[in-house]
């Protein structure tokens, strides 16, 4: 009986434990896997015009540019005179500036150089020389927001019919007045055997030569010299650079008694000045003061290139720009002259120079700007033209 009760009690306890446990404990469910990140949205395609606008010309680039003509920036002539005016204004006013030398002499090469200047941020471009007339005709339309200063020319399409846009100023000079002063001074200084060697027979060079003849004629008249007392040999070399033939010809002229040669043709002075030194003779420079090039240089028939370039740049930055016009620099606006401070003209000094310059400036003396040498009347001057 006791064994039976023990078995019954054990079974009751087991039953109670099972009832209280509620059956088997379920296995824990696995943790849910983390959700995959949402894919990044694809960028919207760029549409034309969505890209950032380029900076305005000159905002981050060089503002003032000069494109060189034939030769280099230190040619001691036309390019250098123009560059000095640009550098002076830029330096005084803290403006970025540079120059570009075209790859070759052609309208396309000049336009390519202008394109590069604009890409670099140019606001104003100076181009010295008549060879830029056609390129500037196209550039002024291509880049209406860029200003152009064309030195020694006027834009045209190749037909010499001037077309000057509002963003362009054409600047030329009264070369005949500058040449006149050189011829007048030479005769007043005592020279009676004169020579003129020009470069290419372009209008500017021709005017220098024809003014030189007229200046010698007026001086001879004032001195009361006999008819034909002044001998003047005249020739165009056909180039703007030195050549052995130019040196040979100038040496022959000096050997024949020529006392002074006016070298009006860019770098042809490199053939003439040394020859003058060797002959113990004299020479006259052109465009800029060339007295530093040779002790033979007694004066120079100057165009005040630096003055005109400086003035036009100042007009742009001062808000007084007047485009679409042709401006002539003459004695009347101090645009031509002789560098008397560096001249060696004997008794012809500053007072004598001021007197004749004033007559040009006020119109008392009017120099003929003809391009036909046959239109010049010479009595005191005996002219010999060499072809």
């Amino acid at each position: 009986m006791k064994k039976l009760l023990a078995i019954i009690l054990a079974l009751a306890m087991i039953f109670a434990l099972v009832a209280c446990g509620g059956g088997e404990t379920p296995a824990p469910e696995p943790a849910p896997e983390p959700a995959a990140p949402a894919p990044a949205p694809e960028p919207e395609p760029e549409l034309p015009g969505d890209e950032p606008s380029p900076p305005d010309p000159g905002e981050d680039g060089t503002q003032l540019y000069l494109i060189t003509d034939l030769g280099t920036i230190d040619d001691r002539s036309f390019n250098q005179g123009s560059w000095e005016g640009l550098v002076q204004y830029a330096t005084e006013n803290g403006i970025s500036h540079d120059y570009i030398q075209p790859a070759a002499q052609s309208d396309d090469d000049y336009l390519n150089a202008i394109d590069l200047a604009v890409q670099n941020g140019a606001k104003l471009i100076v181009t010295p020389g008549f060879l830029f007339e056609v390129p500037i005709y196209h550039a002024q339309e291509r880049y209406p927001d860029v200003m152009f200063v064309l030195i020694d020319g006027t834009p045209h399409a190749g037909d010499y019919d001037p077309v000057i846009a509002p963003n362009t100023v054409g600047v030329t000079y009264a070369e005949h007045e500058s040449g006149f002063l050189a011829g007048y001074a030479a005769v007043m200084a005592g020279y009676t055997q004169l020579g003129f060697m020009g470069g290419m027979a372009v209008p500017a060079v021709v005017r220098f030569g024809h003014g030189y003849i007229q200046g010698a004629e007026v001086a001879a008249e004032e001195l009361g010299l006999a008819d034909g007392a002044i001998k003047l040999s005249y020739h165009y070399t056909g180039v703007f650079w030195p050549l052995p033939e130019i040196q040979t010809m100038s040496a022959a002229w000096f050997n024949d008694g020529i006392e002074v040669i006016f070298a009006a043709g860019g770098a042809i002075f490199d053939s003439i000045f040394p020859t003058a030194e060797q002959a113990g003779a004299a020479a006259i420079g052109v465009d800029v003061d060339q007295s530093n090039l040779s002790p033979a240089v007694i004066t120079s028939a100057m165009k005040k290139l630096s003055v005109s370039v400086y003035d036009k740049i100042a007009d742009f930055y001062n808000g007084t720009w007047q485009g679409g016009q042709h401006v002539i620099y003459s004695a009347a606006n101090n645009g031509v002259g002789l560098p008397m401070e560096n001249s060696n003209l004997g008794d012809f000094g500053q007072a004598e120079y001021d007197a004749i310059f004033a007559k040009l400036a006020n119109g008392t003396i009017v120099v003929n700007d003809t391009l036909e040498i046959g239109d010049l009347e010479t009595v005191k001057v005996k002219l010999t033209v060499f072809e």
Side-chain angles (χ1 to χ4, degrees):
M1 182 61 73
K2 289 181 179 179
K3 289 183 179 179
L4 179 61
L5 290 172
I7 291 171
I8 293 170
L9 180 61
L11 290 172
M13 293 176 65
I14 291 171
F15 177 80
L17 289 172
V18 172
C20 291
E24 293 184 2
T25 304
E29 294 183 5
E33 294 183 4
E42 294 184 5
E44 296 182 4
E46 293 185 6
L47 300 176
D50 285 349
E51 62 273 19
S53 299
D56 291 334
E59 183 176 315
D60 296 319
T62 300
Q63 294 187 14
L64 296 177
Y65 268 93
L66 182 139
I67 312 297
T68 65
D69 192 2
L70 297 174
T72 61
I73 203 65
D74 55 354
D75 64 354
R76 298 167 291 178
S77 187
F78 213 75
N79 289 321
Q80 184 170 335
S82 302
W83 174 241
E84 288 171 353
L86 184 150
V87 170
Q88 181 184 352
Y89 187 90
T91 302
E92 290 176 359
N93 295 277
I95 298 172
S96 54
H97 57 284
D98 205 347
Y99 72 90
I100 296 173
Q101 185 172 346
Q105 178 196 335
S106 73
D107 290 349
D108 286 342
D109 286 297
Y110 288 172
L111 273 170
N112 288 340
I114 291 170
D115 290 342
L116 178 58
V118 174
Q119 292 167 16
N120 290 347
K123 286 186 174 181
L124 184 148
I125 298 174
V126 177
T127 55
F130 71 95
L131 292 175
F132 281 99
E133 290 180 327
V134 173
I136 293 299
Y137 169 81
H138 296 291
Q140 66 185 1
E141 181 178 357
R142 183 181 299 179
Y143 303 113
D145 295 329
V146 177
M147 304 301 113
F148 295 95
V149 179
L150 172 56
I151 300 295
D152 226 26
T154 307
H156 60 80
D159 53 6
Y160 297 97
D161 184 17
V163 178
I164 310 178
N167 57 325
T168 299
V169 172
V171 177
T172 56
Y173 303 83
E175 294 93 355
H176 50 297
E177 292 184 353
S178 189
F180 175 94
L181 291 168
Y184 182 92
V187 171
M188 284 296 186
Y191 296 98
T192 59
Q193 310 291 313
L194 312 183
F196 174 84
M197 283 193 177
M200 297 178 185
V202 297
V205 173
V206 172
R207 285 192 290 266
F208 269 128
H210 291 183
Y212 185 63
I213 295 169
Q214 294 174 76
E217 180 75 17
V218 169
E221 289 177 358
E222 292 185 6
L223 292 173
L225 301 182
D227 293 354
I230 305 298
K231 307 294 190 297
L232 200 157
S233 299
Y234 197 97
H235 174 65
Y236 296 112
T237 65
V239 297
F240 288 117
W241 50 85
L243 286 176
E245 294 84 350
I246 300 173
Q247 187 170 1
T248 299
M249 188 173 195
S250 59
W253 279 15
F254 288 129
N255 189 55
D256 288 342
I258 295 294
E259 299 166 319
V260 56
I261 294 178
F262 178 15
I268 67 171
F269 64 74
D270 274 334
S271 292
I272 297 172
F273 291 177
T275 309
E277 290 179 36
Q278 294 166 9
I284 295 173
V286 75
D287 289 338
V288 297
D289 180 4
Q290 295 183 328
S291 60
N292 64 323
L293 301 184
S294 168
V297 175
I298 58 171
T299 194
S300 300
M302 292 170 40
K303 300 175 181 180
K304 297 190 177 179
L305 298 161
S306 60
V307 172
S308 53
V309 170
Y310 184 101
D311 287 350
K312 295 304 123 190
I313 296 174
D315 286 345
F316 171 65
Y317 282 100
N318 294 339
T320 55
W321 175 266
Q322 294 182 345
Q325 66 172 328
H326 180 111
V327 179
I328 299 175
Y329 276 76
S330 65
N333 56 6
N334 198 31
V336 298
L338 305 182
M340 292 304 295
E341 66 279 7
N342 293 321
S343 294
N344 181 16
L345 295 164
D347 292 336
F348 183 78
Q350 188 67 52
E352 291 74 19
Y353 172 76
D354 289 343
I356 189 64
F357 186 87
K359 291 180 180 179
L360 286 179
N362 64 26
T364 301
I365 292 178
V366 177
V367 185
N368 191 340
D369 64 354
T370 180
L371 299 181
E372 299 297 329
I373 200 166
D375 293 339
L376 302 178
E377 296 182 6
T378 57
V379 177
K380 306 298 182 181
V381 173
K382 182 179 179 182
L383 184 63
T384 303
V385 178
F386 291 80
E387 298 298 333

